[in-house]
Amino acid sequence: PWLLKEMEAAAETDRRTAVRAMDRALGGHIRHLLANLSRAAFHNLTGGWFASAPKTASGEMRHWYRQLTRASASFAIAADFAFLSLGGMLKRKEKLSGRFADVLAELYMSSCVLKRFEDDGRPDADRAFVHWNLQRSLWRIQGALQGILQNLPARPLAWVLRLALFPLGRRRLPPADDLGHKVARVMLEPGEARDRLCRGAYVCMDKDDVTGRLEHAL
């Protein structure tokens, strides 16, 4: 929120006005950076237990909302530190910026999974899908953030960031095979849950159609 103000201050032609504006913008930017750092460190140290979650969410789903808030805080401070150390060079560090894109994509898709579950009325049959997707996304986010830390050129900043993002180490694991089996069983059994997953997809019951043959075989 302070970057545009800093750019405007740098472009200001009146020196006195520019110095005052830059002082305000830099002060705000530093406070924002420290607040993000404290927030990320706190949520990662406490496992996201005190992170925000919608009041309307069910008990077990509140856990996933909190974990997304926690991951979002980690993403924010990692992006702040990367921009602080690299500036405009970040755009040319394509593998590094690609990892940030991976984190953002996983946060977005996980939010979609939770919204779909809520919009469908929280069906019990879909809980396995939510748990599988969120476990996988958070595990992938952990890997992307770890890759950012390993490749951040400013090593002292990376060490500070490591303490904030992984104070207790890398503890995320991919979904267990048992959970994957539950997901596969729901997908392979004709019924309401599978119909919900196929909603909006082209499915034909004509035996002469390719998808129709698959449906009849199932």
Side-chain angles (χ1 to χ4, degrees):
W2 296 99
L3 186 59
L4 178 60
K5 292 181 175 63
E6 290 166 354
M7 293 172 64
E8 290 172 342
E12 175 59 55
T13 55
D14 181 75
R15 178 177 173 79
R16 181 174 295 179
T17 303
V19 169
R20 285 200 301 266
M22 184 61 77
D23 283 346
R24 283 194 300 270
L26 278 176
H29 199 154
I30 291 170
R31 288 193 299 273
H32 178 74
L33 186 69
L34 293 175
N36 271 351
L37 181 62
S38 301
R39 179 169 172 257
F42 176 73
H43 286 325
N44 285 312
L45 193 59
T46 59
W49 182 257
F50 300 100
S52 61
K55 294 180 180 179
T56 56
S58 59
E60 62 177 331
M61 293 302 149
R62 286 176 69 83
H63 166 75
W64 294 124
Y65 281 107
R66 289 191 178 108
Q67 295 310 307
L68 286 188
T69 300
R70 174 186 173 187
S72 178
S74 296
F75 171 79
I77 190 59
D80 280 342
F81 271 50
F83 187 75
L84 181 67
S85 61
L86 292 170
M89 284 181 60
L90 180 59
K91 187 176 181 180
R92 295 193 293 276
K93 298 281 188 180
E94 294 188 3
K95 293 194 75 174
L96 201 61
S97 59
R99 291 185 180 98
F100 280 109
D102 290 342
V103 176
L104 190 60
E106 294 295 342
L107 288 170
Y108 177 77
M109 294 301 293
S110 296
S111 301
C112 291
V113 169
L114 289 170
K115 185 180 187 303
R116 170 72 178 265
F117 180 72
E118 295 289 338
D119 288 352
D120 282 348
R122 305 173 185 172
D124 287 336
D126 291 1
R127 292 181 186 277
F129 290 100
V130 176
H131 295 317
W132 190 92
N133 275 284
L134 268 292
Q135 287 180 25
R136 178 179 178 273
S137 283
L138 291 167
W139 173 63
R140 288 168 65 92
I141 286 171
Q142 175 184 259
L145 290 174
Q146 182 69 20
I148 290 167
L149 293 180
Q150 289 175 345
N151 294 280
L152 203 61
R155 298 316 299 159
L157 280 179
W159 297 332
V160 173
L161 199 55
R162 188 183 305 277
L163 292 175
L165 301 190
F166 303 112
L168 303 176
R170 296 176 63 184
R171 305 170 70 87
R172 298 283 184 197
L173 295 173
D177 288 348
D178 285 347
L179 183 57
H181 295 159
K182 290 180 182 178
V183 168
R185 278 198 298 272
V186 175
M187 293 174 69
L188 292 171
E189 292 175 2
E192 185 180 337
R194 188 174 179 277
D195 290 343
R196 273 197 307 275
L197 287 175
C198 296
R199 190 171 64 221
Y202 173 74
V203 179
C204 179
M205 296 306 295
D206 184 355
K207 292 181 180 180
D208 293 328
D209 182 84
V210 174
T211 60
R213 290 190 197 126
L214 289 171
E215 283 297 301
H216 280 280
L218 178 71

